[in-house]
Amino acid sequence: MEALIISHDGASGDYPGSSDLAYQKAIDDGVDIIDCSVQMSKDEVPFCSPNADLSGTTTATTVFLSQSTTIPEIKDREGIYSFDLTWSEIQSLKPQLLSPYEAPLNRNPSNKNKGKIVTLPEFLELAKQRAVPGILINIENAPYLASKKGLDVVGSVITSLNNATFDKQSTQKVLIQSDDSAVLSKFMDFKNYERVLNIMKEVSGAAPPVAEEVKKYANAIRVFRNAIVLDYPFPVYMSLNYSNLVQVMHAANISVYVGALRNEFQNFLFDYYADPYVELATLTQTGLDGIITDHPATAVAYMNSPCANQKADLPYSIFPIMPGDMFTNAVAAKPPEAAPVVPPMETKDVVDPPLPPVAKIPDSTSPPASDATATPPAAPKSSTSEKLVGSVGLIIVALVGALHILDH
């Protein structure tokens, strides 16, 4: 069976990630599954956006810079977070297309701020109207949202799916993805949903007992590309070998999805000669079950090409690389025999503690009656200065395009 083609924030290589235009482009390109990473507004509206931090993927830095803050549980630098803004405030923003790389080489400047941000119900309605074969719902930061912000992202997703009757149908495939096993456990009773454990670290394979642990929570895993084709440590940028991950997971009846794939030359090991089709040939020949990509059109073109059939009698076929060959031939007569620096997948990468209860957070939008006419105290000079320094730093980072889109 051919690997599924799954969008990564829609066609995010062409339009701002998770915008309506990115989703429409992915569907027009022939993608099998469109995805929504669910974020929450302060007033409990679920919507699609690549990150909870809106400073890099929207125009938030031009409007809400004073709202920037650092949340170590989510990110180690300042951001402007969706759960600190109301939905009406978020609607005032435009989505923003930025390169995922540090170098100031932005994607398609003509589409930089095109499209609009969509709610989760709007995303689900689009999937139904366009009869997309499937959807993937990614849930992140659930423990923090519940305990610190009083927001039930899991409940919001379940309610939205139920309202759109995805729980009562089997025509369209539904994938629920999270890096938290406790989140996936909340969907155990939805037998027509496939649960995907998102492995948010580099791994170099897995042992059968780990696959059995995954099976307790998920039907599939999502991993980075170098979990399938191992590579030499920085700064070699060459392939080393294939891992055993696909074989071990398939033996436990667990599907394997890999991503995110991108077309920019910075994205490739030297072995691929900056050719996305060669990378696709190499990954798909391992038998994995799905490709997650910023560029669905490229994956669809490859899958539909007769050149992708390596057994066909054609004058030209697209063949996979032989991992390790380039290093052996171009760098050293004999590759080093040291084991990869990246460790294999372990049980601790699978199991998470139960989700905390949803906290009751007092409504801070309206001050108490006794304080309504009181003059607010002046902010301490020291804290104002610190905030100004942090805000200026965030402006500079935004201007040079150095903010990362952290979701691979």
Side-chain angles (χ1 to χ4, degrees):
M1 190 173 83
E2 283 190 350
L4 293 172
I5 301 171
I6 305 169
S7 73
H8 183 238
D9 303 319
S12 55
D14 298 293
Y15 288 98
S18 301
S19 66
D20 59 335
L21 296 182
Y23 290 129
Q24 291 168 18
K25 177 69 163 57
I27 296 169
D28 292 341
D29 289 341
V31 75
D32 295 310
I33 294 175
I34 55 173
D35 70 303
C36 170
S37 286
V38 180
Q39 313 301 339
M40 296 292 290
S41 70
K42 186 176 183 178
D43 48 351
E44 302 182 72
V45 176
F47 66 99
C48 303
S49 185
N51 295 297
D53 175 13
L54 303 180
S55 60
T57 55
T58 72
T59 54
T61 55
T62 64
V63 185
F64 297 111
L65 197 58
S66 62
Q67 298 274 52
S68 63
T69 186
T70 301
I71 303 176
E73 297 94 327
I74 298 177
K75 194 176 179 180
D76 60 2
R77 61 170 174 245
E78 275 197 335
I80 302 170
Y81 290 93
S82 67
F83 42 75
D84 291 329
L85 303 176
T86 65
W87 175 238
S88 62
E89 289 173 328
I90 293 170
Q91 282 182 299
S92 71
L93 305 175
K94 293 181 179 180
Q96 189 156 280
L97 175 61
L98 286 178
S99 168
Y101 307 101
E102 291 217 23
L105 186 65
N106 291 339
R107 292 169 160 175
N108 201 347
S110 64
N111 290 342
K112 182 178 179 180
N113 296 118
K114 287 186 177 179
K116 73 180 187 72
I117 301 169
V118 300
T119 64
L120 177 56
E122 289 172 337
F123 168 86
L124 298 175
E125 182 60 27
L126 174 65
K128 294 185 74 172
Q129 287 182 351
R130 297 292 302 271
V132 182
I135 59 172
L136 183 150
I137 306 298
N138 182 46
I139 301 174
E140 52 192 22
N141 305 318
Y144 178 85
L145 291 172
S147 63
K148 303 297 185 182
K149 296 296 178 179
L151 296 171
D152 184 7
V153 62
V154 173
S156 294
V157 168
I158 291 174
T159 298
S160 297
L161 287 169
N162 291 351
N163 289 344
T165 68
F166 275 94
D167 60 322
K168 298 180 176 64
Q169 59 86 49
S170 57
T171 304
Q172 291 174 290
K173 192 176 183 72
V174 178
L175 280 64
I176 305 296
Q177 176 178 283
S178 181
D179 62 345
D180 194 316
S181 61
V183 169
L184 298 181
S185 296
K186 297 292 185 180
F187 292 87
M188 289 285 195
D189 294 335
F190 296 91
K191 303 304 181 184
N192 58 326
Y193 294 175
E194 180 176 309
R195 301 180 306 279
V196 183
L197 182 63
N198 193 5
I199 306 300
M200 296 295 292
K201 60 175 286 187
E202 295 185 348
V203 297
S204 60
V210 176
E212 292 301 323
E213 195 67 34
V214 170
K215 201 171 181 179
K216 296 177 183 178
Y217 306 98
N219 316 102
I221 61 171
R222 181 264 195 185
V223 294
F224 299 142
R225 299 167 305 151
N226 61 358
I228 307 298
V229 178
L230 305 178
D231 53 16
Y232 282 101
F234 173 87
V236 177
Y237 295 118
M238 294 184 188
S239 66
L240 171 62
N241 206 342
Y242 288 113
S243 79
N244 69 344
L245 192 68
V246 174
Q247 293 90 334
V248 168
M249 293 298 162
H250 280 182
N253 200 30
I254 297 169
S255 299
V256 179
Y257 304 130
V258 64
L261 274 61
R262 301 180 173 108
N263 282 4
E264 287 88 352
F265 73 90
Q266 307 103 304
N267 188 56
F268 299 105
L269 298 175
F270 291 133
D271 310 59
Y272 295 128
Y273 296 102
D275 188 336
Y277 297 122
V278 175
E279 182 181 48
L280 284 163
T282 303
L283 291 171
T284 56
Q285 70 90 33
T286 65
L288 53 78
D289 303 280
I291 295 291
I292 302 170
T293 176
D294 289 8
H295 300 89
T298 300
V300 171
Y302 170 76
M303 293 296 191
N304 292 340
S305 171
C307 298
N309 184 355
Q310 297 162 24
K311 298 180 180 178
D313 185 16
L314 297 172
Y316 177 78
S317 294
I318 302 172
F319 291 103
I321 66 170
M322 293 293 292
D325 270 10
M326 176 171 281
F327 187 95
T328 302
N329 296 322
V331 179
K334 183 181 181 182
E337 296 178 359
V341 174
V342 177
M345 189 173 163
E346 302 174 278
T347 301
K348 66 181 181 180
D349 302 322
V350 176
V351 183
D352 295 287
L355 290 177
V358 178
K360 293 184 178 180
I361 308 297
D363 185 3
S364 60
T365 57
S366 301
S370 59
D371 298 329
T373 58
T375 303
K381 289 184 178 181
S382 58
S383 62
T384 303
S385 301
E386 290 167 5
K387 192 69 173 181
L388 180 59
V389 170
S391 298
V392 170
L394 189 56
I395 291 177
I396 294 172
V397 171
L399 289 176
V400 301
L403 285 170
H404 282 292
I405 297 175
L406 293 180
D407 228 317
H408 293 263

